[in-house]
Amino acid sequence: MSPRRRALAVLVALVVLVTVVVVGVRVIGSRGPSVDPDSRPAQDRPGTVLLVPGYGGSRDGLLRLAERIRATGRDAQVLTLVGDGTGDLAAQVQVLDDAATAALAAGAPSVDVVGYSAGGVVAGLWVVRDDGAAKARRIVTMGSPLNGTTLAGAAVSQVPGACPTACRQLAPGSAELRELAGAGSAVPWLSIRTADDETSTPPETAVFRGATNVGVQEVCPGARVSHSALPTDPTVTALVLRGLAPGPIDLTGAGCA
């Protein structure tokens, strides 16, 4: 073989090798957390409900939602995030894991997690980082930018100095959001979105692969629900309670509340 042909053969082999490696990395990265069916909490034994606030850490709306959940006979706790909730999401994941561990140690058969806005991303990171699928019976998210929000993306590119750590982590394509691949299939998950969302943009960012996805306007045509109104809106509350019910997630007959 001539030197020129030998060099060409080596180049082709390198291209093939790089392609195989890249494809392999993509496949591995999309598998999501492995789940042992025998380690999953029993779906008919609901336990403590942990509510995770969103970016900024405000608990007001979730405290009202927690009251509605307690009215059904469930224990519900609204978590307090580290700092103002704009720091590294890893710290918020730790808060959730500590609360789940404490609830299980106190005798709860499982935990259900309700994540509002960025709180839903925290729930997903908890699933993939801390074996949350073995602790959570159910996850319900409201207006969560599970595929990133263009609002954060614009801040990163235009005013990076005004975009704290969590803001950068919620920008489309961030390393944290790439971690979420497969989490929606690891645990029964209901993701609720609203067409009027002005924070998690576009609203379809809340459509999560593997989850049961529903738009407020799909069950209540004409409803106007902003991002901040999600935790207290009656129709959204009704959907959350359906998602937390002992049986499988079933939205049959859901409508305006």
Side-chain angles (χ1 to χ4, degrees):
M1 181 182 294
S2 69
R4 179 175 295 180
R5 289 185 176 179
R6 186 179 298 111
L8 179 60
V10 170
L11 179 60
V12 171
L14 286 173
V15 170
V16 171
L17 178 60
V18 170
T19 302
V20 169
V21 170
V22 170
V23 171
V25 169
R26 287 177 178 173
V27 170
I28 291 172
S30 64
R31 286 177 182 171
S34 58
V35 183
D36 179 0
D38 294 333
S39 69
R40 292 282 298 112
Q43 292 296 297
D44 60 350
R45 298 185 63 207
T48 301
V49 181
L50 303 175
L51 294 90
V52 187
Y55 185 85
S58 175
R59 303 169 71 241
D60 296 345
L62 289 183
L63 288 171
R64 292 172 57 184
L65 178 58
E67 291 177 1
R68 292 295 308 276
I69 295 171
R70 292 190 193 102
T72 69
R74 302 282 297 276
D75 177 31
Q77 304 172 16
V78 180
L79 305 186
T80 300
L81 302 186
V82 175
D84 62 359
T86 65
D88 194 334
L89 294 180
Q92 320 310 345
V93 173
Q94 187 61 58
V95 169
L96 173 56
D97 192 54
D98 289 346
T101 299
L104 296 172
S110 64
V111 296
D112 286 349
V113 177
V114 176
Y116 167 54
S117 193
V121 176
V122 170
L125 291 173
W126 173 66
V127 167
V128 300
R129 293 179 179 179
D130 294 304
D131 197 22
K135 307 169 188 176
R137 183 193 71 102
R138 196 74 52 83
I139 291 178
V140 177
T141 52
M142 303 175 292
S144 293
L146 299 165
N147 296 287
T149 169
T150 56
L151 198 64
V156 168
S157 63
Q158 298 174 21
V159 284
C163 187
T165 302
C167 169
R168 297 193 296 272
Q169 292 171 332
L170 296 173
S174 73
E176 287 73 19
L177 294 175
R178 291 198 298 272
E179 280 188 65
L180 298 185
S185 302
V187 56
W189 190 309
L190 173 63
S191 179
I192 303 168
R193 67 186 185 282
T194 174
D196 303 312
D197 205 315
E198 72 288 359
T199 300
S200 291
T201 55
E204 290 73 26
T205 186
V207 175
F208 199 35
R209 187 176 62 181
T212 297
N213 297 286
V214 63
V216 176
Q217 290 75 19
E218 293 173 9
V219 300
C220 187
R224 298 299 300 271
V225 183
S226 67
H227 184 82
S228 61
L230 281 165
T232 56
D233 179 78
T235 297
V236 175
T237 296
L239 289 172
V240 170
L241 294 180
R242 279 176 174 259
L244 298 177
I249 296 175
D250 182 7
L251 303 183
T252 304
C256 301

